[in-house]
């Protein structure tokens, strides 16, 4: 009845519904069904998709959204320190996961931002490994890709820790290549660049390190050890939306910074991920306080074991 009156009294030409599921293979969801029903009832009106407009708005965070994201990151940081105090050889990956998830809830998170990845040894070389059933062995690394969700906003952090508290020299060699790329991208990201620009820079940095190490001979080979992108939008969803025509970074966007190397033949998987807020002339690393160097991590594990 209200809609009938509005359409009768006002010059309405377009109506907007969330119609983002538009592929042939997608089953109709509630929004699409409602939109199509509305179109049948009012065939003289244009049915339009709201999702491109909302997506563009979601990409740029206001002050309150940044504040909530910072809180999610702070909870993630404190929960990772809790994990470092508990981590030891012989733990099951699911026990490491449980320690993290216990602490984020204790600190006020709604739940995890996504399914926690706790891949030790060779499992750390698998993309989106979520089984978390193996034993974290002495001398191995454990790759933790995780985050807390707080008041609807997400952290997305990855750290790679030595299970026994000390990296081997070989692990450090690869780790420092990834760390260098992570730090350089945090310096490089700024308005006007695209996520592809960031990834091209990442591949260049990783390839340079791997060539120096003698692991590859040419930069074109880096795809053997690095097979994902360095960045994605972050917000209400962990892999958040991209608005149409919004390829270039703009102030207010929050993105990930996650270079990695995955060396199957040496059972070494390393990823270091931070969350960056794009500013007017560069970016700010919102997760700067989450320790990441091998020296910082070893020192913390040595002095804070429970």
């Amino acid at each position: 009845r209200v809609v009938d009156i509005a359409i009768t009294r006002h010059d309405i030409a377009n109506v907007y519904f969330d119609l983002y599921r538009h592929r042939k293979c997608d089953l109709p969801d509630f929004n699409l069904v409602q939109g199509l029903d509305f179109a049948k009832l009012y065939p003289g009106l244009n049915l339009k998709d709201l999702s491109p407009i909302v997506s563009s708005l979601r990409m740029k965070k206001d002050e309150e959204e940044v504040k909530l994201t910072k809180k999610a990151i702070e909870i993630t940081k404190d929960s990772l320190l809790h994990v470092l105090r508990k981590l030891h050889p012989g733990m099951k990956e699911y026990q490491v996961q449980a320690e993290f998830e216990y602490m984020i809830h204790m600190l006020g998170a709604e739940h995890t931002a996504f399914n926690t990845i706790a891949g030790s040894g060779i499992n750390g070389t698998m993309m989106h490994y979520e089984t978390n059933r193996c034993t974290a062995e002495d001398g191995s690394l454990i790759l933790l890709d995780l985050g807390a969700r707080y008041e609807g906003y997400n952290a997305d952090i990855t750290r790679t820790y030595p299970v026994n508290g000390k990296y081997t020299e070989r692990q450090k060699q690869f780790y420092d290549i990834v760390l260098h790329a992570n730090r350089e991208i945090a310096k490089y990201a700024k308005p006007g660049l695209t996520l592809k620009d960031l990834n091209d820079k990442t591949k260049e940095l990783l390839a340079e390190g791997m060539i120096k190490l003698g692991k590859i001979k040419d930069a074109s080979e880096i795809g053997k050890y690095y097979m994902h992108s360095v960045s994605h939008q972050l917000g209400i969803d962990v892999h958040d939306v991209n608005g149409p025509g919004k390829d270039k970074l703009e102030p207010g966007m929050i993105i990930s910074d996650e270079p990695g190397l995955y060396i199957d033949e040496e059972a070494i998987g390393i990823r270091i991920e931070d969350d960056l807020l794009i500013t007017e002339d560069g970016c700010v690393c919102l997760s700067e306080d989450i320790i990441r160097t091998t020296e910082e991590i070893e020192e913390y594990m040595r002095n804070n074991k429970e």
Side-chain angles (χ1 to χ4, degrees):
R1 179 64 177 161
V2 174
V3 174
D4 290 339
I5 293 172
I7 291 174
T8 302
R9 293 182 178 179
H10 303 281
D11 184 18
I12 296 176
N14 303 314
V15 291
Y16 290 83
F17 284 82
D18 188 357
L19 306 175
Y20 73 96
R21 288 184 173 85
H22 52 75
R23 298 176 303 168
K24 290 182 180 180
C25 61
D26 288 331
L27 294 174
D29 71 340
F30 178 79
N31 295 314
L32 179 58
V33 171
Q34 292 294 302
L36 294 176
D37 286 346
F38 190 95
K40 290 177 183 177
L41 290 172
Y42 305 98
L45 300 179
N46 297 317
L47 186 66
K48 292 198 170 185
D49 186 10
L50 182 63
S51 60
I53 299 171
V54 174
S55 295
S56 295
L57 293 172
R58 281 174 57 175
M59 291 176 74
K60 297 179 72 172
K61 278 66 178 179
D62 62 23
E63 186 177 333
E64 182 62 23
E65 290 176 301
V66 173
K67 181 179 177 181
L68 293 172
T69 303
K70 285 182 176 179
K71 181 62 176 179
I73 292 170
E74 180 185 351
I75 292 172
T76 302
K77 177 196 75 173
D78 291 341
S79 300
L80 276 172
L81 292 177
H82 172 77
V83 167
L84 283 179
R85 293 192 293 270
K86 299 288 187 179
L87 184 61
H88 61 80
M91 286 185 77
K92 294 293 186 181
E93 293 166 339
Y94 59 76
Q95 292 175 317
V96 180
Q97 173 187 353
E99 293 288 357
F100 173 76
E101 295 180 5
Y102 160 78
M103 187 53 68
I104 67 165
H105 288 297
M106 288 293 291
L107 295 174
E110 298 166 52
H111 45 70
T112 58
F114 51 94
N115 292 337
T116 299
I117 295 170
S120 63
I122 190 68
N123 297 334
T125 69
M126 301 182 210
M127 296 297 96
H128 300 111
Y129 168 83
E130 296 177 4
T131 309
N132 299 349
R133 303 302 298 174
C134 293
T135 302
E137 302 288 354
D138 190 12
S140 69
L141 299 175
I142 185 164
L143 187 154
L144 300 174
D145 189 345
L146 35 69
R149 181 179 179 88
Y150 182 79
E151 298 295 330
Y153 286 82
N154 298 289
D156 187 4
I157 302 296
T158 306
R159 291 293 185 265
T160 308
Y161 298 139
V163 173
N164 64 10
K166 189 169 180 58
Y167 296 90
T168 67
E169 287 305 311
R170 186 61 167 172
Q171 290 166 351
K172 281 185 178 181
Q173 289 177 329
F174 292 118
Y175 191 100
D176 286 343
I177 294 171
V178 177
L179 179 62
H180 177 66
N182 169 275
R183 299 283 78 191
E184 288 300 306
I185 292 301
K187 297 176 186 175
Y188 180 65
K190 64 181 180 179
L193 295 178
T194 66
L195 298 186
K196 183 180 182 301
D197 292 331
L198 300 188
N199 199 47
D200 288 345
K201 181 69 172 178
T202 301
K203 289 191 287 187
E204 175 187 318
L205 292 164
L206 293 175
E208 183 181 282
M210 292 289 269
I211 290 171
K212 287 182 180 177
L213 195 58
K215 194 66 179 177
I216 62 175
K217 294 181 179 179
D218 186 85
S220 62
E221 301 174 62
I222 194 59
K224 180 179 178 182
Y225 299 110
Y226 170 70
M227 63 290 294
H228 57 80
S229 182
V230 75
S231 192
H232 58 76
Q233 295 284 341
L234 177 67
I236 296 172
D237 286 326
V238 175
H239 284 246
D240 214 9
V241 292
N242 283 289
K246 293 286 185 178
D247 293 334
K248 293 186 178 180
L249 296 175
E250 298 178 22
M253 291 181 176
I254 299 178
I255 61 171
S256 64
D257 169 13
E258 50 180 310
L261 288 172
Y262 312 95
I263 302 93
D264 290 358
E265 63 270 23
E266 299 189 42
I268 294 175
I270 297 167
R271 185 161 62 253
I272 304 171
E273 178 179 14
D274 286 296
D275 300 333
L276 309 179
L277 170 65
I278 302 301
T279 61
E280 293 294 333
D281 57 359
C283 72
V284 173
C285 181
L286 299 178
S287 50
E288 187 64 32
D289 290 343
I290 303 180
I291 58 174
R292 65 181 60 75
T293 69
T294 57
E295 293 81 9
E296 290 171 328
I297 291 166
E298 288 180 344
E299 180 181 8
Y300 189 87
M301 294 184 74
R302 181 169 61 248
N303 296 330
N304 296 276
K305 277 297 180 185
E306 292 184 1

